[in-house]
Amino acid sequence: MNIPFLDLKQNYRNVKDEVNDAIQDVLTNASYINGPIVSTFENNFAKYIGTKYAVGVSNGTTALEVALKVLDLKEGDEVITQANTFIATVLAISSCQATPVLVDCDDDFMMDVSKIESKITNKTKAIIPVHLYGYTANMTEIMILAKKHNLFVIEDCAQAHGSKHNGQIAGTFGDLACFSFYPGKNLGAYGDAGAVCTNNFELKEKMEYYRNLGSKIKYHHETLGTNARLDSIQAAILNVKLRYLSTYNRCRNRLANTYCERLTDKLLKPKYDPDAIYHLYVVRTDKRDELQQYLREQGIETGVHYPIPIHKTGTYKQLFEGETFEKTEQYAEQILSLPMFPEMSEAQQNYVIEHVNKFFS
Ligand SMILES: *Cc1c(COP(=O)(O)O)cnc(C)c1O
C-alpha cells in the first residue's frame, strides 16, 4: 500500500463539480482581478473566523508582510516570534526592515510565554505567536504581556483555521491574524492564496490600499503599496471549500484521536486537545530518521516540520550566532509528521498505525 502525506487529488474529486462551476463563473464574467468573488470570500471567511474583516492577499507569507507593513515599523524595530516556526514568519519580519527576535518553544511546540518578557526592549513593536500544527499559543498570557508593554500582536494562523484557545477561535485575539491557503493547509486553495483578519477598521483600510499598489480607485495611488492581491479564481475555489472546512476539521481531529489512542506509547504523542484542529500529527522519537526510513520502505510518506530551526538556517545563522534554543533544537531532531488529511481512509490509517507500532516492537 502507498500512503501519501496528503491527497490533493482525492480532495479535488470530492468537490469537483462545485469547484468547476465556481471557476467557470469567474471565466464567464472575466472578472479575474478584484472580482466580486474576492469580497464574497472575504466576507464569508471573516464570518467563519468571527472578525469584522478579512483582507484577501496573494499568499500566507504576503499576509504576514502586509500585516507588518501597516504597523509602520521602522528599520531596527524588533518583532518577537518563535525559533521553531516555518521560515516565512521570520522572512516577513526581515522584509519589513525589522529585526526578528526569537524565543524557544514549550513542551507542546508553542511559543514559551515565560521566555518572552526578557526579550522585550524599547525597540520591540510586535509579537507573532504561531499556532503551529493547529494547537494554539497561550493567547491569554500573550495578550496580557502585549498590553503591559504596548505591543501589537499578529497571530500566525497559517496552520490553525478553526483552532480554538479556551473556546475562542484563533485569529480573534491579536490585532491582526494571518492565514495561508496554500494547498495543504486546513483550508487550501489550488494555488497560492492568503488573508489577514482583523477587527480594526483603520488597519483593514491600510491593508486594502497596500495590497493594491496603494490605491482603491484605479490610478489614484494614495499610499505606498505593492501587488499582493488575492486571485479571483483562487477566491472562487476557497469560497466552495470554506463550506467544507468544518467537515475537513472534524475528519482531522477524528484521525488525530485514533492516532493518540492506538499508536504505541514508545513514541511521544502530542497531547489530545479538543480545542485544537490537528493540522499536522507530530510525534517525537529519538529514532526519528530510522522510523522515517522504515515507513518510507513500507510506502508511507511522512514529513518533518521543520528539520532546521530558524537560527540554524543559512539565512539566519549569522544574525542569531551564539544563541541557543534548547527545546527547538532537540525537537528538530525528534519530530515526525505522520500522514493525516481529511480524505484519509480507515484502511490507510490502520496501515500507518500497524507499521509504526511494528517498528517499535
Ligand atoms: C504555510 C505557512 C506560512 C506561509 O504561507 P504561504 O502561503 O506558504 O506563503 C507562514 N507561516 C506558517 C506557520 C506556515 O505554516
Side-chain angles (χ1 to χ4, degrees):
M1 210 193 274
N2 275 319
I3 315 289
F5 187 66
L6 75 170
D7 191 345
L8 295 174
K9 287 182 188 162
Q10 185 60 43
N11 176 272
Y12 173 61
R13 281 197 290 274
N14 292 347
V15 289
K16 189 173 176 196
D17 291 342
E18 286 167 275
V19 164
N20 287 3
D21 286 350
I23 294 173
Q24 192 61 58
D25 274 350
V26 177
L27 303 186
T28 305
N29 298 318
S31 50
Y32 305 122
I33 306 294
N34 293 338
I37 192 65
V38 173
S39 42
T40 302
F41 170 68
E42 288 172 334
N43 290 334
N44 289 340
F45 190 65
K47 198 181 285 171
Y48 177 87
I49 297 299
T51 49
K52 283 191 190 148
Y53 316 106
V55 177
V57 292
S58 45
N59 59 64
T61 308
T62 306
L64 289 156
E65 284 173 2
V66 170
L68 285 160
K69 275 287 179 195
V70 297
L71 300 182
D72 296 324
L73 302 185
K74 291 184 305 294
E75 190 172 343
D77 282 347
E78 293 169 3
V79 178
I80 299 175
T81 190
Q82 63 206 59
N84 65 327
T85 186
F86 181 52
I87 189 83
T89 320
V90 190
L91 286 177
I93 298 169
S94 299
S95 78
C96 296
Q97 319 306 324
T99 305
V101 174
L102 300 178
V103 298
D104 206 354
C105 64
D106 64 18
D107 293 346
D108 298 313
F109 310 108
M110 294 301 102
M111 182 179 250
D112 186 342
V113 176
S114 71
K115 303 253 164 74
I116 298 174
E117 208 154 24
S118 65
K119 296 277 185 160
I120 296 175
T121 72
N122 56 8
K123 289 184 175 166
T124 310
K125 288 288 146 59
I127 308 177
I128 310 185
V130 184
H131 304 307
L132 204 67
Y133 311 152
Y135 313 100
T136 48
N138 187 342
M139 291 312 297
T140 314
E141 296 291 324
I142 290 171
M143 293 316 294
I144 290 170
L145 270 180
K147 202 159 190 190
K148 182 173 160 197
H149 295 276
N150 197 22
L151 305 175
F152 288 107
V153 174
I154 300 175
E155 296 174 70
D156 185 336
C157 295
Q159 303 189 7
H161 319 61
S163 297
K164 288 179 178 164
H165 173 69
N166 291 342
Q168 184 181 338
I169 195 163
T172 58
F173 291 89
D175 300 281
L176 297 154
C178 300
F179 289 85
S180 164
F181 307 121
Y182 181 83
K185 304 286 160 113
N186 293 354
L187 176 61
Y190 295 147
D192 275 314
V196 187
C197 288
T198 186
N199 286 320
N200 185 317
F201 176 77
E202 203 182 316
L203 293 177
K204 187 254 327 179
E205 286 282 299
K206 279 177 148 185
M207 290 191 289
E208 285 180 346
Y209 277 101
Y210 188 79
R211 70 165 172 191
N212 194 43
L213 309 136
S215 137
K216 272 208 187 178
I217 303 164
K218 208 166 189 178
Y219 304 130
H220 292 250
H221 303 280
E222 311 292 346
T223 59
L224 288 179
T226 188
N227 181 348
R229 295 178 296 240
L230 172 61
D231 183 90
S232 292
I233 291 179
Q234 297 305 333
I237 294 163
L238 287 165
N239 208 39
V240 171
K241 291 187 67 184
L242 180 58
R243 298 202 280 269
Y244 296 96
L245 179 55
S246 300
T247 308
Y248 294 152
N249 284 349
R250 265 197 306 276
C251 292
R252 287 180 184 281
N253 282 10
R254 182 175 41 75
L255 292 161
N257 206 1
T258 303
Y259 272 144
C260 286
E261 278 173 8
R262 292 186 39 214
L263 284 173
T264 172
D265 289 324
K266 289 189 181 142
L267 46 69
L268 288 155
K269 292 179 262 184
K271 64 167 182 189
Y272 189 75
D273 175 355
D275 257 3
I277 300 296
Y278 287 77
H279 172 62
L280 294 171
Y281 190 84
V282 180
V283 295
R284 285 170 44 208
T285 167
D286 289 329
K287 300 199 183 86
R288 192 267 312 278
D289 292 343
E290 295 94 314
L291 174 60
Q292 186 170 36
Q293 177 60 29
Y294 173 78
L295 293 176
R296 193 180 295 127
E297 285 159 12
Q298 313 308 314
I300 299 167
E301 192 187 350
T302 57
V304 177
H305 301 89
Y306 298 93
I308 307 168
I310 298 297
H311 62 294
K312 303 225 166 188
T313 58
T315 323
Y316 286 114
K317 245 193 310 223
Q318 229 171 345
L319 182 62
F320 296 107
E321 198 171 351
E323 289 201 66
T324 51
F325 303 97
E326 217 176 295
K327 285 223 163 88
T328 297
E329 288 167 32
Q330 183 197 344
Y331 292 175
E333 307 279 324
Q334 296 178 323
I335 48 177
L336 187 68
S337 310
L338 299 181
M340 196 187 66
F341 46 94
E343 300 77 15
M344 189 179 207
S345 71
E346 211 178 308
Q348 286 176 313
Q349 190 178 27
N350 285 341
Y351 184 82
V352 177
I353 293 170
E354 185 190 315
H355 284 287
V356 171
N357 291 350
K358 204 162 161 189
F359 174 82
F360 284 102
S361 67

